[in-house]
Amino acid sequence: HIVALRGEPVPGGFEETVVAEPDTDLDLSAYFAFGNIDLTKSYRLKVWDGGFSYLEEGTEDVQQNFLSFTYTWNGWSPLGISATDALAIIRMAGGITELNDLTSPNPYWWVGDLDDTPAYGFFSNALADVNSIDGLNIIDVRDLMRRVVGDINQFRNHTPNFMVAARFLDAEELPAKTFGTGDEVTGFSASNPEDVMFDFIREDNVPYEGTTHPDKLFYRSRIFTLNQSSNLINIYYAGVGDINSKNSTPMGSGITKATDATLAYTGEIEAQVGDVITIPVRVSESANIAATTIGLTYNTDLIEVLEVDYAIANINNDMGRVRVASVSMEDEFFGAGDAILNVTAKVLSEMVGEKLFELESITEFANFDLEGIDVNLNSDAVSADIPTGVTDIGAEELSVKNYPNPFRTSTTIEYTLPESGKVNLVVYNRVGQVVAQLVDETQEAGRYTVELNSADLGGGDGLYIYRITVEGQTRTFVANGNLTLMK
């Protein structure tokens, strides 16, 4: 929703309001015309970030009259936002290079000059400062990557999901890019009189929250004048964090971005149901990589993902998705066959040569010069059988669980024996070494609990696996579990 305010400022607002109306005469995706332009007046352009609410106040469903029900709250998507953008923020914060001088083809051609105030232009800085506080720093980098993998749902400090900028155009330039036309493409600059500068306004200090009324959240330009009655303004809408303005596809649009990476299967892992295995994802050819974004999907009936070897990661076993992201201050060399990601998972079902993972569209790689790299990956298929002479690991007769999990000082392992027999309860670290023997005796059928202290594990935090084996009177029962010790 766009409104131009007309007239000189007066207490409480402007003298008059000129509202934009749709015009279909031009073959453009969105075109609005303002009537009654008065060249003796000053103007300010306002663009509502959240759009207006679906329901009017006073309706029975007034709880839906919030920003959380608008497109811009729900439309932000990690598609096109990646660790590559986080690396660009690092370079912008450090002033390492002028991004718009990088090698061609350069996706950063629109970013403002390093000598601008603020550096790189007001619009690109606004997109990079994902927390809207204290300028560009490592917190912006980390939060951007956390949102890419889905570890956080909103940027902190109530940063909006999108930013707006605009530029005046000549009539003969339509249709045109916001940042120029033809060979004369330039980035935004606060000092350029053709760039209309927008600031996000939280009216009455109302924060950008799901329970905020969207009518109060808008961008407004500086006050400007017009020298002719016909003026064209191109408005640009970009997702916060999308520094290279590349493939930022809104959710629900029906448009998807295909990744340039590929995943093949060149080996096979033999396992048994209930085993905890490590599945590597390797690079097929050598590459220098400084920014890594990987998304994998999998069948939750076959495996449960327990851990990945990335600091920025999100594992979602309900959706069957794992995402990781990382950046480095220099290119890291990966030789052909080197693992770029290791996935620790528990085998839940029988399978024969199952190709467990598929790449998500967010998967993207770049070198330190922010050039995208086409990386071919490979992994191993998995085959798994039920152990001979052992009941199904998921059988209800032998139940085991531990709580709390994760834990800091102690956790309780609870198990129920279906029949009397020799019980062995052992805890292993992630490389399969025994770190604690908790039970090694004959017990009657029934329910038992065992307390495990962090000291029993040597104080090392991380993932541990426990296995209980019961040599019963009729057959052998086995069950596994996992626990996580946090410092």
Side-chain angles (χ1 to χ4, degrees):
H1 185 80
I2 306 170
V3 172
L5 299 182
R6 175 185 176 188
E8 296 300 326
V10 297
F14 278 58
E15 291 180 358
E16 298 179 75
T17 298
V18 180
V19 181
E21 298 291 343
D23 191 316
T24 58
D25 292 340
L26 293 178
D27 185 20
L28 299 173
S29 58
Y31 177 72
F32 295 88
F34 294 90
N36 303 319
I37 297 296
D38 186 343
L39 298 182
T40 66
K41 304 292 186 179
S42 299
Y43 291 86
R44 170 175 283 160
L45 192 66
K46 295 176 70 175
V47 179
W48 268 259
D49 176 76
F52 285 105
S53 54
Y54 292 121
L55 301 174
E56 296 295 332
E57 289 194 36
T59 64
E60 293 181 1
D61 297 324
V62 70
Q63 69 273 12
Q64 295 186 21
N65 207 22
F66 298 135
L67 182 66
S68 57
F69 285 85
T70 66
Y71 167 79
T72 51
W73 180 270
N74 297 298
W76 190 94
S77 169
L79 296 178
I81 315 295
S82 68
T84 309
D85 294 294
L87 181 58
I89 295 176
I90 292 176
R91 302 197 69 167
M92 292 170 69
I96 296 176
T97 185
E98 295 187 12
L99 298 187
N100 54 8
D101 285 342
L102 293 175
T103 57
S104 181
N106 175 20
Y108 299 88
W109 55 265
W110 64 271
V111 175
D113 293 330
L114 181 62
D115 295 332
D116 261 354
T117 303
Y120 297 108
F122 71 90
F123 188 46
S124 48
N125 262 49
L127 297 182
D129 187 10
V130 300
N131 294 314
S132 300
I133 188 171
D134 295 335
L136 307 185
N137 53 51
I138 194 63
I139 305 300
D140 294 299
V141 174
R142 182 177 178 86
D143 282 2
L144 175 59
M145 294 198 298
R146 289 183 63 197
R147 194 159 185 205
V148 166
V149 302
D151 190 36
I152 57 175
N153 295 321
Q154 289 290 317
F155 292 123
R156 69 181 73 189
N157 200 42
H158 308 298
T159 302
N161 285 331
F162 295 90
M163 288 289 181
V164 177
R167 170 167 284 174
F168 284 99
L169 298 174
D170 293 330
E172 60 269 17
E173 292 180 343
L174 284 175
K177 291 182 178 180
T178 302
F179 298 99
T181 59
D183 296 330
E184 299 178 358
V185 176
T186 58
F188 262 72
S189 169
S191 60
N192 186 344
E194 293 185 348
D195 294 338
V196 180
M197 188 172 185
F198 286 81
D199 296 312
F200 185 63
I201 303 299
R202 300 182 193 138
E203 196 166 283
D204 298 326
N205 295 317
V206 176
Y208 188 88
E209 293 179 337
T211 54
T212 298
H213 196 290
D215 295 3
K216 295 186 178 297
L217 295 170
F218 55 85
Y219 301 84
R220 70 181 181 188
S221 74
R222 64 176 182 266
I223 297 173
F224 58 90
T225 58
L226 301 171
N227 56 17
Q228 57 185 14
S229 60
S230 177
N231 296 269
L232 299 176
I233 302 176
N234 217 12
I235 297 175
Y236 189 79
Y237 207 54
V240 171
D242 190 8
I243 312 304
N244 60 11
S245 189
K246 179 182 178 183
N247 294 321
S248 184
T249 304
M251 294 177 65
S253 65
I255 303 172
T256 58
K257 182 195 78 168
T259 178
D260 294 325
T262 63
L263 178 62
Y265 287 85
T266 58
E268 186 168 332
I269 297 173
E270 299 287 343
Q272 293 183 329
V273 176
D275 283 353
V276 174
I277 60 176
T278 297
I279 308 167
V281 177
R282 301 174 290 260
V283 296
S284 299
E285 300 92 17
S286 60
N288 291 314
I289 302 174
T292 298
T293 310
I294 301 175
L296 301 174
T297 59
Y298 55 91
N299 187 337
T300 58
D301 293 332
L302 299 179
I303 59 171
E304 176 189 1
V305 174
L306 306 177
E307 190 178 42
V308 291
D309 53 354
Y310 274 68
I312 305 294
N314 181 260
I315 298 170
N316 190 322
N317 281 304
D318 292 327
M319 299 182 63
R321 185 185 72 194
V322 57
R323 291 174 173 174
V324 301
S326 70
V327 293
S328 61
M329 291 301 295
E330 60 183 7
D331 285 327
E332 182 178 355
F333 177 77
F334 287 87
D338 288 349
I340 196 169
L341 170 65
N342 287 296
V343 180
T344 301
K346 181 179 180 180
V347 179
L348 302 178
S349 175
E350 291 181 277
M351 63 187 88
V352 179
E354 186 71 35
K355 298 176 181 179
L356 292 173
F357 301 120
E358 292 185 5
L359 290 178
E360 276 197 297
S361 57
I362 69 166
T363 302
E364 183 178 287
F365 303 91
N367 60 24
F368 189 66
D369 287 332
L370 298 170
E371 298 169 324
I373 305 171
D374 296 340
V375 176
N376 297 317
L377 306 172
N378 67 76
S379 186
D380 296 331
V382 176
S383 294
D385 298 317
I386 294 177
T388 304
V390 179
T391 59
D392 186 345
I393 298 302
E396 296 179 355
E397 291 90 343
L398 175 60
S399 62
V400 62
K401 61 182 178 180
N402 70 287
Y403 51 86
N405 191 28
F407 70 100
R408 296 185 183 275
T409 57
S410 66
T411 186
T412 299
I413 299 175
E414 177 184 308
Y415 58 94
T416 302
L417 304 181
E419 58 187 51
S420 60
K422 179 65 177 297
V423 180
N424 187 272
L425 178 56
V426 180
V427 181
Y428 303 87
N429 60 22
R430 60 175 298 181
V431 296
Q433 299 171 319
V434 176
V435 294
Q437 175 87 48
L438 301 181
V439 179
D440 186 17
E441 62 183 35
T442 299
Q443 295 179 335
E444 298 295 325
R447 176 179 171 274
Y448 296 84
T449 59
V450 178
E451 185 178 26
L452 175 67
N453 297 311
S454 59
D456 298 328
L457 303 176
D461 62 338
L463 178 71
Y464 292 85
I465 310 300
Y466 58 88
R467 169 171 290 190
I468 181 171
T469 303
V470 183
E471 297 178 6
Q473 298 172 348
T474 61
R475 59 186 185 272
T476 299
F477 302 85
V478 178
N480 292 329
N482 64 84
L483 50 87
T484 302
L485 174 61
M486 300 177 61
K487 288 185 178 179

